[in-house]
């Protein structure tokens, strides 16, 4: 009987290369009757497997990866390695991408309304700094017959824009669209405007707006480009603008995100966020600004967008100090990560959504401002870390570094909401000349070792 069994072919499950069924390249059959020949050894001659076919979509990702790992125990095979798992993965990726493309086309066909842009005839920009000029140019390119007026205080700069079509102070090598006009007349600039971009530095905004309040229509939407906190009052722009204009119901939108003015002028791809408590106004602003080179997301978390935009400037000074002191990449990563956590602590205490802090207007803007040399605030920090005096640094700059003024306000706000912010507090102390950068680093490194939260 035993001899008969030995002459039979092996059962189907032995003809399989799956590692769960074969423990070595050769499988040995042992027979327990005492008087039988030595064990018979056989080597499978095929890689056929009688198990059900399993596709990549039905295998958990972890199991697939496990199957790909090199095996110290393998089944001998005369066939070429099976490449179907890789082909399956490629197909899954292809299908996922095609679904995304189809969804994108479908969404655009249903929502590609440009009614607000078509109905917009005039836009006014308050302030002719770098970002105000960049946004004026962007909107003007969106619609050739749109009237875009920049309200300035400098007659020479106004003349440069109107005669030479360039902002000689900030973008002397960039030509502005012909439909961008500069003026020093507030009444003429605001008359008939459909939207108003506010690009005046935060610390000067209140007095400036009070001076033009009589020319502002109560229903004129204000799109704030300014980032920071008012030093003495701790107010954000969503509070400053309505109060300065004497109209608590003035329509307000905050525009923020990782966006250098120079790259906007160079028409490089950019993504930003518009935040407003008025959902319809946010979508209208989105339609006004969104283009193939500028993605605009919407949000109703005005507080989160504004706080992140204000505090990232202070954190950028800290990042610059680390760079100026040559403390290395480890220090830079640790400091920025801690700064992001501090911003989240304060923002959420003030009612912001955590998702906003990790989004474009939070983490996105922080990364850009902390790690790129085009940042004014980072430049201030680099020079402070190199040993220069703050007064000398500010005196040599032709643009405002909002983080310098905001630092003190941030700490006052943190005390109000009972939030500890060691990195941002250290920046404020350095700016007030009460702590040297080297001493600040030593004190930060000697703080208690605590659990991450």
């Amino acid at each position: 009987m035993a001899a008969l069994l030995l002459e039979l072919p092996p059962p189907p499950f032995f003809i399989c290369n799956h590692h769960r069924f074969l423990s070595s390249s050769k499988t040995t059959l042992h027979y327990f009757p005492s008087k039988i020949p030595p064990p018979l050894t056989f080597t499978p001659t095929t890689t056929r497997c009688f198990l059900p076919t399993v596709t990549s979509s039905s295998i958990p990702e972890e199991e697939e990866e496990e199957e790909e790992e090199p095996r110290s125990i393998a089944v001998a095979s005369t066939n070429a390695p099976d490449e179907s798992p890789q082909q399956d993965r490629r197909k899954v990726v292809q299908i996922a991408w095609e679904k995304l493309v189809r969804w994108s086309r479908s969404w655009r066909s249903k929502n590609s309304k440009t009614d607000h842009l078509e109905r917009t005839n005039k836009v006014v920009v308050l302030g002719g700094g770098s970002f105000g000029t960049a946004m004026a140019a962007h909107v003007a390119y969106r619609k050739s017959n749109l009237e875009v007026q920049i309200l300035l205080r400098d007659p020479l700069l106004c003349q440069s824009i109107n005669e030479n079509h360039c902002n000689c102070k900030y973008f002397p090598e960039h030509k502005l669209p012909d439909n961008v006009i500069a003026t020093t007349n507030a009444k003429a600039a605001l008359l008939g405007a459909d939207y108003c971009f506010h690009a005046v530095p935060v610390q000067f905004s209140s007095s400036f707006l009070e001076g033009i309040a009589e020319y502002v229509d109560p229903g004129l939407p204000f799109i704030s480009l300014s980032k920071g906190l008012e030093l003495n009052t701790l107010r954000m722009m969503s509070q400053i603008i309505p109060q300065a204009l004497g109209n608590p119901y003035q329509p307000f939108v905050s525009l923020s995100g990782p966006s250098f003015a120079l790259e906007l002028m160079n028409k490089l791809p950019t993504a930003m966020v518009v935040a407003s408590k008025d959902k319809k106004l946010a979508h209208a602003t989105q339609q006004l600004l969104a283009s193939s080179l500028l993605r605009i997301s919407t949000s109703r978390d005005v507080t989160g967008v504004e706080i992140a935009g204000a505090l990232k400037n202070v954190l950028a000074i800290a990042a610059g100090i680390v760079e100026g002191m040559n403390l290395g990449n480890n220090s830079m990563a640790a400091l920025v990560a801690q700064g992001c956590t501090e911003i989240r602590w304060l923002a959420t205490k003030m009612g912001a959504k955590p998702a906003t802090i990790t989004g474009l207007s939070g983490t996105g803007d922080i990364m850009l401002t902390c790690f790129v040399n085009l940042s004014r605030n980072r430049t201030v920090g680099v020079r402070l870390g190199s040993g220069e005096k703050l007064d000398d640094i500010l005196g040599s700059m032709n643009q405002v570094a909002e983080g310098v003024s905001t630092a003190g306000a941030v700490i006052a706000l943190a005390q109000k909401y009972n939030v500890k912010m060691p990195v941002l507090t250290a920046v404020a102390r350095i700016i007030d000349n009460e702590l040297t950068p080297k001493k600040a680093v030593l004190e930060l490194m000697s703080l208690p070792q605590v659990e991450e939260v």
Side-chain angles (χ1 to χ4, degrees), residues 311 315 318 330-346 357 366 419-425 444 447-448 450-453:
L311 272 60
L315 182 55
N330 292 351
S331 296
M332 179 69 75
L335 175 127
V336 174
Q338 172 64 26
C340 289
T341 300
E342 294 177 14
I343 292 172
R344 172 172 56 84
W345 287 342
L346 179 58
I357 309 306
I366 289 169
V419 177
K420 290 182 175 63
M421 308 180 76
V423 167
L424 301 188
T425 301
L444 286 173
L447 290 172
V450 296
E451 182 180 359
E452 186 175 52
V453 292

Side-chain angles (χ1 to χ4, degrees), residues 135-179:
M135 290 308 301
H138 173 76
V139 175
Y141 279 123
R142 291 273 288 143
K143 184 179 176 180
S144 59
N145 63 344
L146 177 66
E147 182 181 353
V148 180
Q149 291 203 15
I150 304 178
L151 180 61
L152 305 171
R153 292 183 298 175
D154 186 351
L156 293 178
L157 184 57
C158 184
Q159 183 180 1
S160 170
I161 292 175
N162 291 335
E163 294 181 0
N164 303 319
H165 298 289
C166 79
N167 187 321
C168 61
K169 187 175 181 180
Y170 299 108
F171 298 112
E173 299 179 358
H174 291 78
K175 185 177 180 181
L176 296 173
D178 293 339
N179 52 331

Side-chain angles (χ1 to χ4, degrees), residues 60-131:
E61 186 176 351
E62 295 79 11
E63 189 172 345
E64 272 196 314
E65 294 176 355
E66 184 182 9
E67 291 295 316
E68 291 178 356
E69 294 177 1
R71 299 289 175 182
S72 58
I73 302 174
V75 177
S77 172
T78 58
N79 294 354
D82 188 3
E83 297 182 356
S84 60
Q86 184 178 0
Q87 293 173 352
D88 287 344
R89 281 192 296 274
R90 288 180 176 177
K91 188 172 183 180
V92 168
V93 173
Q94 180 183 1
I95 292 173
W97 179 255
E98 289 174 352
K99 285 182 178 180
L100 180 64
V101 171
R102 286 197 300 270
W103 167 80
S104 177
R105 290 173 179 170
S106 174
W107 192 94
R108 284 200 304 268
S109 66
K110 295 177 182 178
N111 297 276
S112 59
K113 299 178 181 179
T114 57
D115 295 347
H116 290 281
L117 180 62
E118 293 172 357
R119 294 199 301 265
T120 301
N121 298 312
K122 182 178 180 180
V123 168
V124 60
V125 179
L126 307 180
S130 58
F131 203 74

Side-chain angles (χ1 to χ4, degrees), residues 16 61 76 102 130 172 236-237 382 386 418 438:
C16 176
E61 186 176 351
R102 286 197 300 270
S130 58
M236 299 177 289
M237 289 307 304
V382 170
S386 301
N418 193 27
K438 185 176 181 179

Side-chain angles (χ1 to χ4, degrees), residues 192-215:
D194 298 301
Y195 289 92
C196 177
F197 288 86
H198 180 91
V200 178
V202 173
Q203 307 308 323
F204 307 106
S205 291
S206 185
S207 58
F208 173 81
L209 291 169
E210 288 172 358
I212 65 169
E214 60 181 306
Y215 309 122

